[in-house]
Amino acid sequence: MEKSTAKTPLTAKNEPIDLILRPKAWREYVGQEKIKRHLLIMLEAAKKRGETCDHLLFYGQAGLGKTTLAHLVAEQLGAKLKVTAGPALEKMADLAGVLTNLEKGDILFIDEIHRLNRMIEEVLYPAMESRKLNIVVGKGPGARTLSLDLPAFTIVGATTRANLISAPLRSRFGASFRLDYYETPDIEAIINRSAGLLGLKIVPEGAAMLARASRATPRVANRLLKRLRDYMEVHSIDCADPATVKKTLDLLEIDERGLELHDRLLLETIINKFKGGPVGVATLAAALNDDRGIVEDVYEPYLLSIGFLKRTQSGRVATEAAYEHLGHDLYEKRSV
Ligand SMILES: Nc1ncnc2c1ncn2[C@@H]1O[C@H](COP(=O)(O)OP(=O)(O)OP(=O)(O)O)[C@@H](O)[C@H]1O
Ligand SMILES: [Mg+2]
């Protein structure tokens, strides 16, 4: 058997790091307290009644912990988690295959559920409501609908784009949970937990600095920690202090608020080309030579959350905080 050393206690097992870092118990799932409380009540109540839990929807930005939560829900219910995704359920046969393979009590995790097509959604409605799978057999006047009974199961849907989920689908979930960006102390706790699992030493000020650059997102925090680990390995550093963290962030071209090149470019474009805004998102995306969807879904949410960007009726506006952060004279903004 492999003996783990003090420096690399868990990674010595050669498991993928992301799996090692994923919380496996509720107490390891940091933050999102309201969601955890509400969910645990639902899960306990279902368990006590011996019923399957209502269908659940998790939505929020990438990397905030939706998939992790789905695993914890299955764990809590002692249920098997079967995983699929919206784009994988393209044809009726794909969905029928998944549904008819379910066993009583199973959890069906549908990631990117906003990408289900209309036809599949319509087959899903009766399956979610009354556990019926209706299949049309044959064509034309001789076509018949076969109705199959499905075992009791729970769908856990996850999406980064809740606004793209149709109202009828959304209404079939017993509860929807919006995962928000994390508070900095929670991200710090995640960094310290992950550092412990990786056998990495980091001083509290170093962890705090890394947390501020993590875009309030656990996945980003873990990613930055992995890059810090690389830096420490190469430079034979035993314990990371703020200077080590700063050097790692500089190498990645990430600033102390977690802004990457594309974030700074977006803000600079609004400031320099559009006098600070307002500028419509389509015009902004064209000026950045980027896809509008990427601008709206990937770049903007964090900038909005830290108050560097504002959405107004007439378009996007760079805020005073953004001017200050990027070292632009505030007079520039006030004088336009
Ligand atoms: N609350 C948390 N506490 C500790 N670690 C977390 C938490 N949430 C997420 N993580 C870590 O962040 C990683 C990303 O989380 P996860 O894969 O669940 O995000 P997601 O919301 O499903 O993202 P995506 O939308 O990209 O699928 C996990 O592997 C886990 O290690
Ligand atoms: Mg996920």
Side-chain angles (χ1 to χ4, degrees):
M1 208 181 90
E2 241 177 343
K3 203 172 158 235
S4 44
T5 65
K7 198 172 173 219
T8 49
L10 278 164
T11 44
K13 287 187 199 157
N14 232 350
E15 256 187 85
I17 290 186
D18 290 340
L19 267 188
I20 294 173
L21 299 184
R22 174 163 281 167
K24 292 173 188 67
W26 289 95
R27 69 190 138 70
E28 293 172 353
Y29 193 90
V30 179
Q32 310 286 2
E33 299 301 333
K34 260 202 269 175
I35 294 182
K36 280 193 282 187
R37 261 201 311 275
H38 187 171
L39 256 179
L40 281 168
I41 289 177
M42 279 186 76
L43 300 177
E44 275 313 298
K47 243 164 94 172
K48 264 189 150 169
R49 286 195 294 259
E51 290 172 0
T52 44
C53 182
D54 258 359
H55 306 296
L56 305 170
L57 180 66
F58 298 140
Y59 64 100
Q61 291 301 312
L64 291 181
K66 301 179 292 295
T67 301
T68 309
L69 263 187
H71 282 271
L72 290 176
V73 164
E75 169 85 21
Q76 184 74 19
L77 292 172
K80 231 189 284 153
L81 185 82
K82 298 196 168 153
V83 179
T84 184
L89 302 174
E90 210 186 332
K91 294 191 225 84
M92 178 57 209
D94 302 328
L95 180 63
V98 169
L99 292 178
T100 51
N101 269 313
L102 290 173
E103 286 162 45
K104 188 168 181 287
D106 279 357
I107 308 259
L108 176 62
F109 178 56
I110 309 184
D111 211 354
E112 298 186 71
I113 196 162
H114 64 274
R115 291 179 64 186
L116 287 176
N117 65 50
R118 180 68 61 85
M119 178 190 73
I120 295 291
E121 265 196 22
E122 279 173 11
V123 180
L124 210 51
Y125 299 156
M128 289 174 83
E129 254 168 19
S130 41
R131 298 180 200 142
K132 295 268 185 233
L133 174 61
N134 300 325
I135 307 176
V136 181
V137 188
K139 275 189 187 146
R144 293 175 299 130
T145 303
L146 267 182
S147 188
L148 298 178
D149 286 328
L150 296 167
F153 69 100
T154 298
I155 288 187
V156 175
T159 178
T160 50
R161 302 290 310 271
N163 57 324
L164 295 185
I165 296 188
S166 69
L169 179 59
R170 190 196 301 249
S171 69
R172 282 165 173 88
F173 287 96
S176 300
F177 299 90
R178 180 194 141 113
L179 279 82
D180 236 319
Y181 284 115
Y182 287 61
E183 302 292 334
T184 310
D186 288 339
I187 294 290
E188 250 178 270
I190 290 171
I191 288 174
N192 286 323
R193 169 180 176 271
S194 299
L197 290 171
L198 298 175
L200 209 69
K201 286 200 204 109
I202 176 165
V203 301
E205 303 79 52
M209 189 182 214
L210 204 61
R212 275 198 305 279
S214 295
R215 305 175 76 86
T217 305
R219 181 181 292 131
V220 178
N222 284 337
R223 191 172 67 222
L224 295 186
L225 191 70
K226 284 192 282 180
R227 298 294 75 83
L228 176 70
R229 179 172 177 252
D230 294 344
Y231 188 88
M232 291 167 72
E233 188 85 50
V234 170
H235 292 87
S236 306
I237 297 170
D238 275 340
C239 179
D241 60 7
T244 319
V245 173
K246 176 83 172 65
K247 284 192 184 128
T248 307
L249 294 176
D250 286 349
L251 212 61
L252 298 167
E253 299 187 275
I254 292 174
D255 69 26
E256 68 272 20
R257 293 299 301 273
L259 265 53
E260 298 181 26
L261 279 180
H262 58 74
D263 300 304
R264 291 193 291 271
L265 183 64
L266 185 148
L267 294 171
E268 292 281 3
T269 303
I270 299 181
I271 292 171
N272 296 328
K273 287 202 178 151
F274 302 100
K275 300 183 177 155
V279 51
V281 65
T283 313
L284 180 60
L288 291 168
N289 202 10
D290 232 322
D291 182 66
R292 176 184 172 153
I294 300 272
V295 171
E296 283 187 295
D297 301 339
V298 183
Y299 302 165
E300 287 190 341
Y302 178 64
L303 296 173
L304 289 163
S305 83
I306 58 171
F308 280 10
L309 188 70
K310 252 191 343 207
R311 269 184 191 154
T312 69
Q313 288 219 317
S314 36
R316 275 48 174 175
V317 176
T319 63
E320 287 192 5
Y323 273 72
E324 237 169 294
H325 180 75
L326 295 171
H328 282 271
D329 194 347
L330 273 179
Y331 181 74
E332 268 177 74
K333 181 170 176 63
R334 292 196 184 114
S335 62
V336 288

